[in-house]
Amino acid sequence: MADSAPVRLAVLVSGNGTNLQAVIDRIDAREIKARIACVVSDRQEAFALKRAEQHGIPTVIHEIGAYSSRRAYDTALVEILRNHGVQLVLLAGFMRILTDVMVEAFPHAIMNIHPALLPAFQGLHAQQQALEYGVRLTGCTVHFVDIGTDTGPIILQAAVPVQKDDTEETLAARIRQEEHRIYPEAVRLFCAGKISVDGRQVRILS
Ligand code: GRF
């Protein structure tokens, strides 16, 4: 793999883009052999777009408005990604659930970061769900995306202790630090050809 071409990534965002930034930083540091071919946002006002522009990364605003269905939206999304030669798609705070159209177009080549130790606390407000349940440990999970919500094969996880005075915000901030460590690491492993998938089992090759 030493002299292979950089893997072409797309990062899909809706908001702040701190995970996008973490990946950009590790690529810039030459720790990940990849190039971000495009950042796609479903929201024009996403700050993540500014982060991309600051690094000279092409951006695409792909809003739901014009599309009659989620599948039609995803069909157009696949075309955008194909036109950019994308090999690996990263969901980084992208607030839309993908349909079979996207999942089947990029088998085992779409990753997501979720702010809980899956399969616990799937869906929205995972940090608040953890607080309400009363767990002592939560964390974050990088997984491949399948047709379910937060159900795909798990690549990496990191545990984060819950402190007794935590709010949703303080817990989210502590989890986010770990997200910024394990998401780029999962991308690095993929781009180095060190991930294989067998059913639900993701193997990290040495
Ligand atoms: C993170 O908490 C991530 O776990 C979730 O969405 C949030 C994105 O944050 N999927 P950011 O836009 O990367 O800062």
mmCIF file of all heavy atoms in Angstrom, residues 13-21 48 51 91-95 112-116 127 140-141 150 172 175-176 179-180 183, ligand 1:
data_model
loop_
_atom_site.group_PDB
_atom_site.id
_atom_site.type_symbol
_atom_site.label_atom_id
_atom_site.label_comp_id
_atom_site.label_asym_id
_atom_site.label_seq_id
_atom_site.Cartn_x
_atom_site.Cartn_y
_atom_site.Cartn_z
ATOM 1 N N VAL A 13 -22.056 16.513 6.319
ATOM 2 C CA VAL A 13 -22.197 17.312 7.543
ATOM 3 C C VAL A 13 -23.529 18.057 7.543
ATOM 4 O O VAL A 13 -24.157 18.233 6.493
ATOM 5 C CB VAL A 13 -21.051 18.349 7.635
ATOM 6 C CG1 VAL A 13 -19.682 17.678 7.708
ATOM 7 C CG2 VAL A 13 -21.096 19.310 6.453
ATOM 8 N N SER A 14 -23.910 18.489 8.749
ATOM 9 C CA SER A 14 -25.057 19.389 8.872
ATOM 10 C C SER A 14 -24.752 20.554 9.810
ATOM 11 O O SER A 14 -25.541 21.496 9.880
ATOM 12 C CB SER A 14 -26.283 18.645 9.441
ATOM 13 O OG SER A 14 -26.675 17.586 8.615
ATOM 14 N N GLY A 15 -23.664 20.443 10.587
ATOM 15 C CA GLY A 15 -23.483 21.419 11.664
ATOM 16 C C GLY A 15 -22.074 21.945 11.801
ATOM 17 O O GLY A 15 -21.450 22.364 10.827
ATOM 18 N N ASN A 16 -21.567 21.854 13.031
ATOM 19 C CA ASN A 16 -20.314 22.510 13.392
ATOM 20 C C ASN A 16 -19.096 21.931 12.673
ATOM 21 O O ASN A 16 -18.202 22.651 12.249
ATOM 22 C CB ASN A 16 -20.156 22.405 14.928
ATOM 23 C CG ASN A 16 -19.023 23.268 15.437
ATOM 24 O OD1 ASN A 16 -18.267 23.849 14.675
ATOM 25 N ND2 ASN A 16 -18.881 23.328 16.747
ATOM 26 N N GLY A 17 -19.046 20.618 12.572
ATOM 27 C CA GLY A 17 -17.956 20.010 11.808
ATOM 28 C C GLY A 17 -16.669 19.815 12.577
ATOM 29 O O GLY A 17 -15.586 19.782 11.977
ATOM 30 N N THR A 18 -16.746 19.618 13.907
ATOM 31 C CA THR A 18 -15.496 19.386 14.641
ATOM 32 C C THR A 18 -14.879 18.034 14.272
ATOM 33 O O THR A 18 -13.654 17.896 14.273
ATOM 34 C CB THR A 18 -15.689 19.482 16.169
ATOM 35 O OG1 THR A 18 -16.589 18.460 16.607
ATOM 36 C CG2 THR A 18 -16.203 20.852 16.584
ATOM 37 N N ASN A 19 -15.714 17.052 13.958
ATOM 38 C CA ASN A 19 -15.152 15.764 13.517
ATOM 39 C C ASN A 19 -14.521 15.893 12.139
ATOM 40 O O ASN A 19 -13.471 15.293 11.876
ATOM 41 C CB ASN A 19 -16.216 14.670 13.550
ATOM 42 C CG ASN A 19 -16.450 14.150 14.957
ATOM 43 O OD1 ASN A 19 -15.651 13.375 15.480
ATOM 44 N ND2 ASN A 19 -17.531 14.607 15.587
ATOM 45 N N LEU A 20 -15.145 16.662 11.260
ATOM 46 C CA LEU A 20 -14.526 16.970 9.962
ATOM 47 C C LEU A 20 -13.146 17.574 10.197
ATOM 48 O O LEU A 20 -12.156 17.174 9.577
ATOM 49 C CB LEU A 20 -15.418 17.950 9.181
ATOM 50 C CG LEU A 20 -14.744 18.660 8.000
ATOM 51 C CD1 LEU A 20 -14.388 17.672 6.892
ATOM 52 C CD2 LEU A 20 -15.653 19.782 7.468
ATOM 53 N N GLN A 21 -13.072 18.537 11.119
ATOM 54 C CA GLN A 21 -11.798 19.215 11.400
ATOM 55 C C GLN A 21 -10.747 18.220 11.885
ATOM 56 O O GLN A 21 -9.579 18.292 11.492
ATOM 57 C CB GLN A 21 -12.017 20.308 12.460
ATOM 58 C CG GLN A 21 -10.816 21.201 12.654
ATOM 59 C CD GLN A 21 -10.568 22.087 11.429
ATOM 60 O OE1 GLN A 21 -11.458 22.801 10.997
ATOM 61 N NE2 GLN A 21 -9.370 22.009 10.872
ATOM 62 N N ALA A 48 -19.469 23.767 9.270
ATOM 63 C CA ALA A 48 -18.531 22.810 8.668
ATOM 64 C C ALA A 48 -18.132 23.242 7.256
ATOM 65 O O ALA A 48 -16.998 22.984 6.826
ATOM 66 C CB ALA A 48 -19.168 21.423 8.638
ATOM 67 N N ARG A 51 -15.214 25.515 7.466
ATOM 68 C CA ARG A 51 -13.974 24.764 7.757
ATOM 69 C C ARG A 51 -13.409 24.187 6.457
ATOM 70 O O ARG A 51 -12.202 24.246 6.226
ATOM 71 C CB ARG A 51 -14.258 23.623 8.739
ATOM 72 C CG ARG A 51 -14.706 24.067 10.113
ATOM 73 C CD ARG A 51 -14.952 22.818 10.968
ATOM 74 N NE ARG A 51 -15.594 23.119 12.226
ATOM 75 C CZ ARG A 51 -14.947 23.434 13.353
ATOM 76 N NH1 ARG A 51 -13.635 23.491 13.373
ATOM 77 N NH2 ARG A 51 -15.616 23.670 14.470
ATOM 78 N N LEU A 91 -19.980 10.088 7.653
ATOM 79 C CA LEU A 91 -21.068 10.899 8.208
ATOM 80 C C LEU A 91 -20.508 11.570 9.457
ATOM 81 O O LEU A 91 -20.014 10.897 10.369
ATOM 82 C CB LEU A 91 -22.275 10.030 8.572
ATOM 83 C CG LEU A 91 -22.807 9.113 7.469
ATOM 84 C CD1 LEU A 91 -24.089 8.410 7.947
ATOM 85 C CD2 LEU A 91 -23.063 9.871 6.180
ATOM 86 N N ALA A 92 -20.568 12.892 9.501
ATOM 87 C CA ALA A 92 -19.980 13.621 10.631
ATOM 88 C C ALA A 92 -20.983 14.681 11.076
ATOM 89 O O ALA A 92 -20.917 15.832 10.661
ATOM 90 C CB ALA A 92 -18.646 14.241 10.225
ATOM 91 N N GLY A 93 -21.960 14.213 11.863
ATOM 92 C CA GLY A 93 -23.013 15.123 12.288
ATOM 93 C C GLY A 93 -24.002 15.406 11.165
ATOM 94 O O GLY A 93 -24.631 16.464 11.152
ATOM 95 N N PHE A 94 -24.148 14.459 10.242
ATOM 96 C CA PHE A 94 -25.105 14.607 9.128
ATOM 97 C C PHE A 94 -26.468 14.171 9.658
ATOM 98 O O PHE A 94 -26.632 13.028 10.094
ATOM 99 C CB PHE A 94 -24.669 13.723 7.963
ATOM 100 C CG PHE A 94 -25.460 13.886 6.701
ATOM 101 C CD1 PHE A 94 -25.527 15.110 6.050
ATOM 102 C CD2 PHE A 94 -26.119 12.799 6.134
ATOM 103 C CE1 PHE A 94 -26.238 15.254 4.863
ATOM 104 C CE2 PHE A 94 -26.823 12.926 4.949
ATOM 105 C CZ PHE A 94 -26.886 14.165 4.313
ATOM 106 N N MET A 95 -27.433 15.089 9.646
ATOM 107 C CA MET A 95 -28.692 14.861 10.363
ATOM 108 C C MET A 95 -29.774 14.202 9.485
ATOM 109 O O MET A 95 -30.958 14.436 9.689
ATOM 110 C CB MET A 95 -29.214 16.174 10.951
ATOM 111 C CG MET A 95 -28.291 16.777 11.998
ATOM 112 S SD MET A 95 -27.945 15.629 13.357
ATOM 113 C CE MET A 95 -29.539 15.652 14.192
ATOM 114 N N ASN A 112 -19.946 6.118 10.333
ATOM 115 C CA ASN A 112 -20.629 7.119 11.156
ATOM 116 C C ASN A 112 -19.974 7.140 12.530
ATOM 117 O O ASN A 112 -19.420 6.138 12.977
ATOM 118 C CB ASN A 112 -22.115 6.762 11.295
ATOM 119 C CG ASN A 112 -22.883 7.790 12.095
ATOM 120 O OD1 ASN A 112 -22.681 9.003 11.940
ATOM 121 N ND2 ASN A 112 -23.749 7.341 12.992
ATOM 122 N N ILE A 113 -20.046 8.297 13.197
ATOM 123 C CA ILE A 113 -19.616 8.382 14.600
ATOM 124 C C ILE A 113 -20.859 8.655 15.431
ATOM 125 O O ILE A 113 -21.645 9.550 15.116
ATOM 126 C CB ILE A 113 -18.546 9.481 14.813
ATOM 127 C CG1 ILE A 113 -18.150 9.609 16.289
ATOM 128 C CG2 ILE A 113 -18.974 10.841 14.277
ATOM 129 C CD1 ILE A 113 -17.027 8.748 16.695
ATOM 130 N N HIS A 114 -21.039 7.832 16.471
ATOM 131 C CA HIS A 114 -22.229 7.980 17.318
ATOM 132 C C HIS A 114 -21.772 8.241 18.754
ATOM 133 O O HIS A 114 -20.884 7.533 19.251
ATOM 134 C CB HIS A 114 -23.091 6.713 17.251
ATOM 135 C CG HIS A 114 -24.332 6.826 18.063
ATOM 136 N ND1 HIS A 114 -25.423 7.575 17.639
ATOM 137 C CD2 HIS A 114 -24.658 6.340 19.282
ATOM 138 C CE1 HIS A 114 -26.359 7.526 18.571
ATOM 139 N NE2 HIS A 114 -25.927 6.778 19.579
ATOM 140 N N PRO A 115 -22.387 9.193 19.448
ATOM 141 C CA PRO A 115 -21.898 9.566 20.783
ATOM 142 C C PRO A 115 -22.448 8.694 21.922
ATOM 143 O O PRO A 115 -22.994 9.197 22.908
ATOM 144 C CB PRO A 115 -22.340 11.025 20.911
ATOM 145 C CG PRO A 115 -23.594 11.098 20.110
ATOM 146 C CD PRO A 115 -23.413 10.128 18.969
ATOM 147 N N ALA A 116 -22.292 7.375 21.783
ATOM 148 C CA ALA A 116 -22.629 6.423 22.849
ATOM 149 C C ALA A 116 -21.935 5.109 22.512
ATOM 150 O O ALA A 116 -21.436 4.930 21.392
ATOM 151 C CB ALA A 116 -24.138 6.200 22.947
ATOM 152 N N GLN A 127 -26.361 11.330 24.527
ATOM 153 C CA GLN A 127 -25.728 11.703 25.804
ATOM 154 C C GLN A 127 -26.796 11.902 26.882
ATOM 155 O O GLN A 127 -26.631 11.465 28.029
ATOM 156 C CB GLN A 127 -24.914 12.997 25.632
ATOM 157 C CG GLN A 127 -23.855 12.928 24.535
ATOM 158 C CD GLN A 127 -24.343 13.453 23.185
ATOM 159 O OE1 GLN A 127 -25.543 13.453 22.895
ATOM 160 N NE2 GLN A 127 -23.419 13.909 22.355
ATOM 161 N N CYS A 140 -18.251 6.618 22.770
ATOM 162 C CA CYS A 140 -18.575 6.839 21.358
ATOM 163 C C CYS A 140 -18.170 5.619 20.543
ATOM 164 O O CYS A 140 -17.351 4.813 20.978
ATOM 165 C CB CYS A 140 -17.911 8.108 20.831
ATOM 166 S SG CYS A 140 -16.153 8.242 21.179
ATOM 167 N N THR A 141 -18.777 5.532 19.378
ATOM 168 C CA THR A 141 -18.616 4.361 18.508
ATOM 169 C C THR A 141 -18.457 4.814 17.066
ATOM 170 O O THR A 141 -19.262 5.621 16.584
ATOM 171 C CB THR A 141 -19.895 3.465 18.593
ATOM 172 O OG1 THR A 141 -20.129 3.088 19.948
ATOM 173 C CG2 THR A 141 -19.759 2.229 17.711
ATOM 174 N N ASP A 150 -27.908 3.420 13.368
ATOM 175 C CA ASP A 150 -26.853 3.154 14.360
ATOM 176 C C ASP A 150 -26.705 1.656 14.667
ATOM 177 O O ASP A 150 -26.423 1.278 15.809
ATOM 178 C CB ASP A 150 -27.130 3.940 15.668
ATOM 179 C CG ASP A 150 -27.238 5.435 15.420
ATOM 180 O OD1 ASP A 150 -26.503 5.944 14.557
ATOM 181 O OD2 ASP A 150 -28.058 6.096 16.087
ATOM 182 N N ALA A 172 -21.324 15.643 26.607
ATOM 183 C CA ALA A 172 -21.104 15.662 25.151
ATOM 184 C C ALA A 172 -19.708 16.175 24.827
ATOM 185 O O ALA A 172 -19.026 15.645 23.940
ATOM 186 C CB ALA A 172 -22.162 16.520 24.461
ATOM 187 N N ILE A 175 -17.185 13.448 25.603
ATOM 188 C CA ILE A 175 -17.266 12.381 24.583
ATOM 189 C C ILE A 175 -16.637 12.864 23.277
ATOM 190 O O ILE A 175 -15.929 12.120 22.591
ATOM 191 C CB ILE A 175 -18.740 11.959 24.359
ATOM 192 C CG1 ILE A 175 -19.282 11.265 25.606
ATOM 193 C CG2 ILE A 175 -18.861 11.057 23.131
ATOM 194 C CD1 ILE A 175 -20.780 10.985 25.558
ATOM 195 N N ARG A 176 -16.875 14.147 22.958
ATOM 196 C CA ARG A 176 -16.393 14.671 21.669
ATOM 197 C C ARG A 176 -14.870 14.566 21.564
ATOM 198 O O ARG A 176 -14.322 14.302 20.491
ATOM 199 C CB ARG A 176 -16.866 16.115 21.477
ATOM 200 C CG ARG A 176 -16.916 16.535 20.013
ATOM 201 C CD ARG A 176 -17.580 17.875 19.802
ATOM 202 N NE ARG A 176 -18.944 17.912 20.276
ATOM 203 C CZ ARG A 176 -19.401 18.715 21.246
ATOM 204 N NH1 ARG A 176 -18.595 19.578 21.839
ATOM 205 N NH2 ARG A 176 -20.665 18.670 21.618
ATOM 206 N N GLU A 179 -14.275 11.266 20.339
ATOM 207 C CA GLU A 179 -14.690 11.163 18.926
ATOM 208 C C GLU A 179 -13.558 11.631 18.025
ATOM 209 O O GLU A 179 -13.256 11.009 17.005
ATOM 210 C CB GLU A 179 -15.924 12.036 18.666
ATOM 211 C CG GLU A 179 -17.179 11.580 19.370
ATOM 212 C CD GLU A 179 -18.364 12.500 19.086
ATOM 213 O OE1 GLU A 179 -18.331 13.248 18.102
ATOM 214 O OE2 GLU A 179 -19.330 12.452 19.866
ATOM 215 N N HIS A 180 -12.931 12.746 18.437
ATOM 216 C CA HIS A 180 -11.891 13.342 17.588
ATOM 217 C C HIS A 180 -10.636 12.477 17.544
ATOM 218 O O HIS A 180 -9.779 12.664 16.692
ATOM 219 C CB HIS A 180 -11.547 14.748 18.098
ATOM 220 C CG HIS A 180 -12.701 15.689 18.015
ATOM 221 N ND1 HIS A 180 -12.724 16.904 18.641
ATOM 222 C CD2 HIS A 180 -13.891 15.570 17.363
ATOM 223 C CE1 HIS A 180 -13.884 17.508 18.386
ATOM 224 N NE2 HIS A 180 -14.598 16.715 17.620
ATOM 225 N N TYR A 183 -12.405 8.656 15.481
ATOM 226 C CA TYR A 183 -12.925 8.715 14.108
ATOM 227 C C TYR A 183 -11.771 8.815 13.100
ATOM 228 O O TYR A 183 -11.683 8.005 12.172
ATOM 229 C CB TYR A 183 -13.917 9.870 13.966
ATOM 230 C CG TYR A 183 -14.966 9.661 12.876
ATOM 231 C CD1 TYR A 183 -15.048 8.481 12.144
ATOM 232 C CD2 TYR A 183 -15.898 10.659 12.583
ATOM 233 C CE1 TYR A 183 -16.010 8.299 11.160
ATOM 234 C CE2 TYR A 183 -16.876 10.480 11.603
ATOM 235 C CZ TYR A 183 -16.924 9.305 10.886
ATOM 236 O OH TYR A 183 -17.882 9.128 9.921
HETATM 237 C C1 GRF B 1 -21.135 14.413 17.199
HETATM 238 O O1 GRF B 1 -21.554 14.435 18.521
HETATM 239 C C2 GRF B 1 -21.333 13.031 16.631
HETATM 240 O O2 GRF B 1 -21.178 12.027 17.569
HETATM 241 C C3 GRF B 1 -22.746 13.070 16.141
HETATM 242 O O3 GRF B 1 -22.930 14.384 15.666
HETATM 243 C C4 GRF B 1 -22.034 15.260 16.320
HETATM 244 C C5 GRF B 1 -21.275 16.000 15.255
HETATM 245 O O4 GRF B 1 -20.487 17.034 15.771
HETATM 246 N N1 GRF B 1 -22.968 12.063 15.147
HETATM 247 P P1 GRF B 1 -19.549 17.864 14.813
HETATM 248 O O5 GRF B 1 -20.430 18.533 13.758
HETATM 249 O O6 GRF B 1 -18.558 16.930 14.187
HETATM 250 O O7 GRF B 1 -18.892 18.875 15.688
#
